[in-house]
């Protein structure tokens, strides 16, 4: 970062004006680097018809810092001119090397110059533009290890760092890794072409589209796109979608805001999908319609995504809407249509071929363009006519709970939990049936009289199903070395947050397969931990967050983690660590930066499409992953397989 003033030699811009700066890019570090040089335009004042200096100024470079002899020679040395918005210059530097550029900015005279407000001297009046230089650098594959110089070729870096709408569209046209460096207001849709693959890290910034719905969405994907973080907002009255997808689109942790309505009309749905789309840990807002999935083969999956709808008076409005053979799948989240006129012609939270596996839904349910299939979740309106075979809807105090037919216990206090446990015999204190939590629950081990054979535990699941329904189970008085919140011998725990004990979920001795799905384990020392069992049974952990120390013995047929996130504990224990002793597979998992993985106890570990932070874990980069203070595979790779 520098406060040096650049390009300030011209006080009054006019056609033919030119200015230059000679810049040197020096690698003063200890690693080879690749870099991107670009020009940033800010605070460009406009004429009455919207024209700015940035629209006519050109930029180019002269390599090697050529000596400038006169004005015409300067202009003639530039081989290629670019607009300010699309200019980038890329290079790479070994240690202590440097590149020198002469960066030239020029107003090339044209017949359109009269579009600007000219005074009697044929010079522009009262137009200004601020121009800066951006330099981004990242590690470059150059250094060798014992084998070659490609070990760091997959180190994460943005291929494009963008500041403007034009830069963003240019980057999407090229594909690759793109990072947003500033908030951008769009007056035209940015589009991913059909044959391009791109990752756009919004980097906490906001893309705002001011287009009417007849003009298009903020972002349109015709190719393959991954969106990370940040916000995309459609802000015009009766505006277009935040996102429209015709290809393959993954959205992670992004806020998508729909447009407002006006003039007795309505804006587009916030999300329009006619391809394959997955939205995870996101927030979607809307007045008219939040999510639409339409057309044969169109599938939209929502994982733990919240939808908030205000509704438009006297208009139908849908939270999740499918038609023309499109489908949607909902796995958790809070989805509410708060329209005041929810009736046969008003708003609904669901309308169409939507498969619901969990979540909290406020609003009506309709089947106008397809029939919903409901296998879980809570509802403000009676969902009975859409409940899948082998499931049921139970009304408790005006809230409908959809569970399996075999669910007998609806638990909101300690007495309810005790009532779901076996009271006599060898299995006394065990959950062998199925329960669903209808409120957060805090218990102590002395109240439940459950057991693990090692230490105290809040509840032992022995062939049963514990459906947390998005609620939290906190277990007190379980802080001894072998104490646990949940002890599992066999069965399923799902849709829950588990905390409060020394060990979150413990296995002292398996009598069957154990399934852990959509569970957050936090504020514990050990997340999932085992010490006994036999090789006849497996452990299957999916869609879950494990914050702390994860370690388990070599006593299982297999251990498979799918779509899981591993991070640092947030309670009194600050571990961020995994040490498996058993053969294990990690599929589509994310390990937060700073996490450590120990492979010293088994070499039978497979990583498939897993990430360390934002970096895809590959065989080439695995040995170098880390945050500077820790190394991810801190004890070496030890024969692991990475796919």
């Amino acid at each position: 970062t520098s406060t040096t003033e650049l390009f300030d030699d011209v006080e009054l811009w006019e056609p033919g004006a030119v200015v230059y700066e000679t810049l040197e890019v020096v690698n003063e570090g200890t690693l080879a680097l690749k870099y991107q040089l670009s020009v940033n335009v800010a605070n460009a004042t406009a004429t009455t018809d919207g024209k700015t200096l940035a629209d006519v100024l050109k930029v180019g470079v002269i390599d090697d810092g050529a000596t400038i002899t006169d004005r015409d020679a300067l202009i003639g040395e530039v081989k290629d001119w670019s607009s300010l918005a699309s200019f980038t210059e890329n290079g790479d530097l070994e240690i202590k090397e440097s590149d020198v550029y002469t960066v030239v900015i020029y107003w090339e005279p044209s017949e359109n110059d009269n579009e600007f407000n000219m005074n009697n001297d044929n010079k522009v009046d009262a137009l200004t533009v601020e121009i800066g230089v951006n330099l981004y650098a990242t590690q470059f594959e150059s250094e060798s290890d014992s084998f070659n110089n490609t070990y760091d070729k997959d180190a994460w870096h943005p291929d494009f760092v963008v500041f403007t709408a034009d830069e963003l569209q240019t980057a999407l046209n090229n594909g690759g890794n793109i990072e947003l460096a500033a908030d951008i207001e769009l007056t035209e849709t940015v589009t991913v072409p059909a044959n391009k693959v791109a990752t756009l890290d919004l980097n906490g910034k906001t893309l705002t589209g001011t287009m009417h719905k007849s003009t298009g969405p903020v972002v349109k994907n015709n190719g393959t796109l991954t969106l990370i973080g940040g916000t995309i907002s459609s802000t015009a009255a009766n505006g277009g979608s935040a996102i429209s997808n015709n290809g393959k689109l993954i959205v992670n942790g992004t806020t998508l805001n729909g447009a407002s309505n006006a003039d007795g009309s309505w804006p587009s749905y916030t999300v329009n999908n006619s391809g394959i789309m997955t939205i995870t840990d996101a927030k979607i807002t809307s007045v008219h319609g939040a999510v639409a999935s339409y057309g044969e083969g169109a599938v939209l999956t929502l994982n733990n995504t919240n939808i908030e709808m205000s509704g438009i008076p006297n208009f139908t409005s849908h939270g999740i809407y499918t038609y023309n053979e499109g489908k949607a799948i909902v796995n958790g989240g809070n989805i509410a249509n708060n329209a005041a006129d929810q009736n046969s012609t008003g708003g609904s939270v669901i309308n169409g071929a939507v498969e619901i596996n969990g979540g909290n839904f406020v609003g009506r349910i309709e089947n106008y363009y397809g029939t919903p299939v409901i296998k879980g979740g809570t509802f403000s309106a009676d969902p009975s006519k859409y409940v899948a075979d082998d499931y049921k809807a139970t009304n408790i105090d005006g809230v409908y709970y959809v569970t399996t037919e075999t669910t007998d216990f609806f638990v909101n206090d300690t007495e309810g939990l005790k009532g779901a446990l076996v009271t006599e015999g060898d299995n006394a204190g065990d959950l062998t049936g199925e329960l669903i939590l209808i409120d957060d629950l805090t218990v102590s081990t002395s109240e439940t009289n459950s057991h693990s054979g090692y230490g105290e535990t809040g509840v032992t699941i022995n062939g049963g199903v514990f459906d947390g329904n998005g609620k939290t189970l906190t277990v007190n008085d379980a802080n001894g070395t072998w104490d646990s919140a949940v002890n599992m011998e066999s069965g399923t725990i799902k849709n829950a947050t588990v905390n409060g004990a020394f060990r979150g979920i413990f296995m002292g001795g398996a009598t069957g397969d154990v399934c852990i799905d959509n569970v957050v384990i936090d504020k514990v020392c050990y997340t999932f931990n085992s010490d006994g069992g036999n090789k006849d049974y497996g452990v299957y952990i999916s869609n879950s967050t494990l914050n702390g120390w994860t370690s388990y013995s070599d006593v299982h047929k297999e251990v498979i983690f799918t779509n899981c996130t591993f991070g640092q504990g947030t309670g009194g224990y600050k571990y961020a660590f995994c040490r498996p002793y058993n053969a294990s597979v990690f599929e589509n998992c994310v390990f937060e930066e700073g996490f450590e993985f120990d492979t010293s106890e088994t070499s039978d570990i497979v990583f498939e499409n897993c990430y360390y932070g934002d970096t895809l874990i590959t065989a080439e980069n695995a040995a170098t992953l880390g945050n500077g203070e820790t190394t991810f595979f801190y004890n070496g790779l030890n024969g692991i397989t990475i796919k």
Side-chain angles (χ1 to χ4, degrees):
T1 301
S2 173
T3 57
T4 302
E5 292 188 1
L6 302 175
F7 308 115
D8 60 348
D9 294 338
V10 176
E11 296 182 359
L12 191 62
W13 279 94
E14 59 186 314
V18 64
V19 67
Y20 70 91
E21 295 283 353
T22 299
L23 305 175
E24 184 177 17
V25 182
V26 183
N27 181 3
E28 296 183 343
T30 58
L31 295 173
L33 60 81
K34 62 182 76 174
Y35 66 84
Q36 179 185 99
L37 188 70
S38 64
V39 173
N40 180 32
V41 179
N43 299 323
T45 56
T47 63
T48 56
D49 59 359
K51 297 286 186 180
T52 74
L53 284 179
D55 295 317
V56 293
L57 297 182
K58 307 280 188 186
V59 62
V61 298
I62 304 172
D63 295 338
D64 302 324
T67 301
I68 310 304
T69 57
D70 58 47
R71 181 180 176 281
D72 292 336
L74 171 69
I75 298 170
E77 285 285 343
V78 177
K79 296 178 181 179
D80 298 302
W81 295 100
S82 303
S83 70
L84 294 180
S86 62
F87 170 74
T88 59
E89 189 75 14
N90 298 302
D92 54 76
L93 292 172
E94 295 290 342
I95 302 168
K96 304 306 179 185
E97 285 189 347
S98 64
D99 286 338
V100 178
Y101 296 102
T102 296
V103 180
V104 185
I105 296 177
Y106 174 43
W107 186 341
E108 183 179 18
S110 76
E111 61 184 17
N112 297 321
D113 290 335
N114 286 330
E115 294 179 3
F116 289 83
N117 295 327
M118 303 290 182
N119 60 25
N120 292 331
D121 296 325
N122 200 37
K123 296 178 181 178
V124 177
D125 244 348
L127 286 180
T128 61
V129 61
E130 294 180 9
I131 302 170
V133 173
N134 306 303
L135 179 67
Y136 280 81
T138 189
Q139 183 179 350
F140 176 57
E141 59 271 19
S142 175
E143 302 79 17
S144 296
D145 58 14
S146 299
F147 300 95
N148 52 43
N149 69 341
T150 63
Y151 71 92
D152 56 355
K153 70 182 181 65
D154 293 311
W156 166 261
H157 68 280
D159 300 307
F160 296 89
V161 177
V162 299
F163 290 80
T164 68
D166 287 345
E167 289 177 354
L168 177 56
Q169 185 58 69
T170 298
L172 293 174
N173 289 341
N174 284 276
N177 299 327
I178 305 163
E179 181 178 290
L180 206 63
D183 296 339
I184 298 177
E185 183 174 295
L186 301 171
T187 57
E188 295 181 351
T189 297
V190 290
T191 302
V192 181
N195 61 340
K196 295 300 180 181
V197 178
T199 296
L200 174 56
D201 184 354
L202 295 173
N203 191 30
K205 304 298 190 296
T206 298
L207 282 178
T208 301
T210 60
M211 296 79 76
H212 187 269
K213 65 182 179 182
S214 62
T215 305
V218 182
V219 177
K220 183 176 183 179
N221 176 52
N222 294 325
T224 300
L225 175 64
T226 299
L227 279 169
I228 302 171
T231 300
I232 300 177
S233 297
S234 179
T235 59
N238 304 331
S241 298
I243 291 180
S244 177
N245 176 53
N246 301 314
K248 295 182 179 179
L249 177 59
I250 296 173
V251 180
N252 289 324
T254 302
T255 297
L256 307 172
N257 295 321
S260 60
N261 78 301
D263 304 325
S265 186
W266 60 90
S268 295
Y269 279 73
T270 305
V271 175
N272 268 301
N273 173 63
S274 59
I276 304 299
M277 186 174 185
T278 301
I279 303 177
T280 301
D281 296 330
K283 179 181 178 181
I284 302 172
T285 69
S286 175
V287 294
H288 167 55
V291 172
S293 186
Y294 51 91
E296 184 176 359
V299 179
L300 170 66
T301 302
L302 297 168
N303 298 319
N304 298 319
T305 290
N306 296 333
I307 294 177
E308 297 178 3
M309 290 191 59
S310 57
I312 303 173
N314 303 316
F315 282 95
T316 57
S317 57
H318 307 294
I320 301 174
Y321 182 52
T322 69
Y323 61 97
N324 289 354
E325 301 186 38
K327 299 184 182 300
I329 301 169
V330 184
N331 301 314
N334 295 300
I335 301 169
N337 186 338
N338 297 311
D341 56 345
Q342 292 193 32
N343 50 48
S344 60
T345 59
S348 66
V349 67
I350 297 292
N351 186 348
V354 183
E355 178 184 314
I356 301 172
N357 298 309
N360 179 42
F361 299 83
V362 176
R364 293 173 53 251
I365 305 169
E366 293 184 291
N367 64 338
Y368 191 72
Y369 280 115
T371 302
V373 178
I374 302 176
K375 300 179 180 179
T378 61
F379 300 83
S380 65
D382 188 355
S384 298
K385 63 188 291 188
Y386 307 117
V387 169
D389 293 342
D390 300 323
Y391 290 80
K392 66 181 179 180
T394 303
N395 184 355
I396 301 177
D397 297 329
V399 177
Y400 295 87
Y401 297 84
V402 174
T403 64
T404 62
E405 286 280 7
T406 53
T407 299
D408 295 319
F409 305 101
F410 295 82
V411 174
N412 63 355
D413 57 23
T414 301
E415 290 303 312
L417 177 60
K418 290 168 62 176
L421 306 180
V422 176
T423 58
E424 298 178 352
D426 294 339
N427 293 330
D430 291 0
L431 176 66
T432 58
E434 299 186 19
L435 69 77
I436 183 170
L437 287 186
I438 60 175
D439 204 352
D440 293 340
L441 180 61
T442 299
V443 301
S444 65
T445 58
S446 59
E447 292 175 305
T448 60
N449 193 34
S450 202
H451 59 84
S452 71
Y454 283 69
E456 303 298 328
T457 193
V459 58
T460 290
I461 301 174
N462 186 3
V465 176
F466 187 108
D467 185 349
N469 184 38
K471 303 299 190 291
T472 298
L473 172 67
T474 302
V475 178
N476 293 329
D477 305 325
N479 297 313
T481 300
W482 291 102
D483 294 348
S484 58
V486 177
N487 175 57
M488 298 202 70
E489 297 181 6
S490 64
T492 298
I493 181 170
K494 60 183 180 179
N495 307 324
T497 296
V498 174
N499 60 42
F502 186 78
R503 298 171 191 263
I505 297 178
F506 177 67
M507 290 180 63
T511 60
D513 288 344
V514 165
C515 297
I516 301 169
D517 180 55
N518 193 30
V519 175
V520 176
I521 310 172
D522 201 3
K523 299 179 182 178
V524 297
C525 178
Y526 287 96
T527 59
F528 168 73
N529 176 244
S530 67
D531 194 60
N534 63 66
K535 289 289 188 178
D536 293 330
Y537 306 112
V539 178
Y540 307 94
I541 305 178
S542 57
N543 307 308
S544 295
T545 299
L546 297 89
N547 292 333
W549 187 313
T550 300
S551 183
Y552 42 92
S553 298
D554 184 21
V555 294
H556 310 294
K557 176 178 64 177
E558 59 185 357
V559 179
I560 299 177
F561 295 87
T562 308
N563 299 323
C564 290
T565 298
F566 295 80
Q568 185 179 54
T570 62
Y573 307 98
K574 300 296 184 181
Y575 293 112
F577 192 81
C578 181
R579 177 184 289 143
Y581 291 75
N582 199 99
S584 305
V585 175
F586 296 82
E587 299 176 346
N588 304 320
C589 292
V590 175
F591 300 85
E592 293 182 357
E593 291 190 12
F595 200 91
E596 296 178 277
F597 196 101
D598 183 5
T599 60
S600 62
E601 301 301 329
T602 177
S603 61
D604 195 0
I605 303 291
V606 176
F607 289 85
E608 183 171 354
N609 193 39
C610 292
Y611 284 78
Y612 176 81
D614 292 332
T615 302
L616 177 67
I617 301 172
T618 67
E620 291 78 13
N621 70 12
T624 63
L625 293 171
N627 65 358
E629 298 179 359
T630 61
T631 300
F632 180 49
F633 292 107
Y634 87 100
N635 199 52
L637 301 181
N638 195 31
I640 65 171
T641 300
I642 300 177
K643 298 181 179 180

